[in-house]
Amino acid sequence: MTIVTCLQTCLHPLCCKHPPSVRYRRLFLSQLIKTHEASESEPLDELYDALGEVLGVEEGTECYKSYLLPCGEAVSLSESTAVISEGTTGLVTWEAALYLAEWALENTHVFTDRTVLELGSGVGLTGIAVCESCYPSSYVFIDCHLSVLHRLRDNIQLNGLDNQNSPRVCVSVEHLEWEEVTEKQLREIGATTVIAADVVYDPDIIGCLVKVLSKVLRCSANGSPPDVYISSTIRNPDTYNSFKHQLGQY
């Protein structure tokens, strides 16, 4: 990628409309300037102007991250600039959600014309990508943290997926606690595909997760249990092994 192309990336309308974090922009532009100066090319005033502008900006508590889809559209998300904020880690996108979104885009048949339920939706990357590119008939986002749900709803609207603007897919957001969800609620949702990303991270919630998955599998739609796909980052092998062990007991 050339310096000019990188500069065009910095000044792209998407970045101007939904700017990344101040820290990211400073690091990106600083590295770009170092690379340009090392090439002994003519100075680009636009680079220094862009860096000078971002150096005068204070970092806020929120920023945007944008992800380009194969269809040419972009998913833009409002996220926290801190890994932990408002008592949760759910206000940022985690690596497993990225992998699940990429896998979904390569396996659209798993979602096309299906009712999809996502456990622990977070800020919404995977679900919004699926709704934009995989053509489900309906998609149900669920989470338990009120701040996460508020940010999730904002991101759904930001990407034009509220039902008024996107009649092709019926989107809903539900506040559900894993330990409290009932089989009746799950049957009413009628999911034929269930997904989750980065939900296997805390040994204290493994039991609740396994129980809700067992309820999901008992709530068959059209006589068949739903397909379930879980994407995990293995930070602690003991936690992941505990999850697999408890799954095997059901």
Side-chain angles (χ1 to χ4, degrees):
M1 184 178 290
T2 66
I3 297 295
V4 172
T5 302
C6 289
L7 181 59
Q8 290 172 341
T9 299
C10 296
L11 302 178
H12 192 279
L14 181 63
C15 292
C16 295
K17 184 178 181 181
H18 302 305
S21 71
V22 172
R23 179 176 180 273
Y24 179 86
R25 284 180 281 160
R26 286 174 181 168
L27 290 173
F28 185 88
L29 285 165
S30 296
Q31 185 59 46
L32 201 57
I33 288 172
K34 287 181 182 178
T35 302
H36 184 66
E37 290 175 343
S39 69
E40 299 182 355
S41 302
E42 287 294 321
L44 281 175
D45 291 340
E46 294 93 333
L47 278 177
Y48 298 97
D49 290 343
L51 180 60
E53 182 178 339
V54 78
L55 287 174
V57 177
E58 290 187 10
E59 185 73 88
T61 58
E62 300 175 15
C63 67
Y64 290 95
K65 293 182 182 178
S66 296
Y67 306 86
L68 296 179
L69 300 175
C71 65
E73 298 294 326
V75 173
S76 293
L77 303 174
S78 170
E79 301 191 10
S80 171
T81 52
V83 172
I84 301 175
S85 61
E86 300 184 46
T88 179
T89 58
L91 291 171
V92 296
T93 296
W94 292 90
E95 187 177 14
L98 287 167
Y99 277 103
L100 185 55
E102 289 178 356
W103 180 86
L105 297 177
E106 295 171 356
N107 296 272
T108 57
H109 63 281
V110 172
F111 305 94
T112 302
D113 297 327
R114 292 196 173 198
T115 296
V116 182
L117 169 65
E118 183 181 6
L119 305 173
S121 301
V123 291
L125 171 63
T126 303
I128 293 171
V130 168
C131 290
E132 290 278 11
S133 297
C134 300
Y135 311 108
S137 58
S138 61
Y139 198 101
V140 182
F141 297 82
I142 73 167
D143 212 290
C144 64
H145 198 284
L146 294 179
S147 296
V148 174
L149 289 166
H150 179 74
R151 188 71 59 88
L152 175 59
R153 291 188 178 99
D154 285 347
N155 283 333
I156 288 170
Q157 187 171 20
L158 178 68
N159 288 275
L161 283 176
D162 53 308
N163 291 324
Q164 182 177 357
N165 293 323
S166 182
R168 179 181 53 76
V169 54
C170 179
V171 172
S172 61
V173 179
E174 305 288 345
H175 176 207
L176 290 176
E177 299 277 355
W178 290 351
E179 61 267 29
E180 297 175 2
V181 66
T182 65
E183 290 188 22
K184 179 183 178 183
Q185 289 173 306
L186 293 171
R187 287 195 181 93
E188 288 174 351
I189 292 172
T192 48
T193 298
V194 178
I195 63 172
D198 222 329
V199 292
V200 185
Y201 61 91
D202 183 350
D204 292 336
I205 66 169
I206 295 299
C208 292
L209 173 59
V210 171
K211 287 179 181 177
V212 76
L213 289 174
S214 68
K215 291 177 183 178
V216 163
L217 292 172
R218 288 198 296 269
C219 297
S220 59
N222 302 320
S224 300
D227 298 325
V228 180
Y229 303 91
I230 298 179
S231 174
S232 297
T233 299
I234 302 177
R235 300 178 180 86
N236 185 329
D238 290 339
T239 301
Y240 189 68
N241 289 334
S242 174
F243 171 62
K244 293 193 294 182
H245 174 72
Q246 292 188 50
L247 274 179
Q249 294 180 329
Y250 279 84

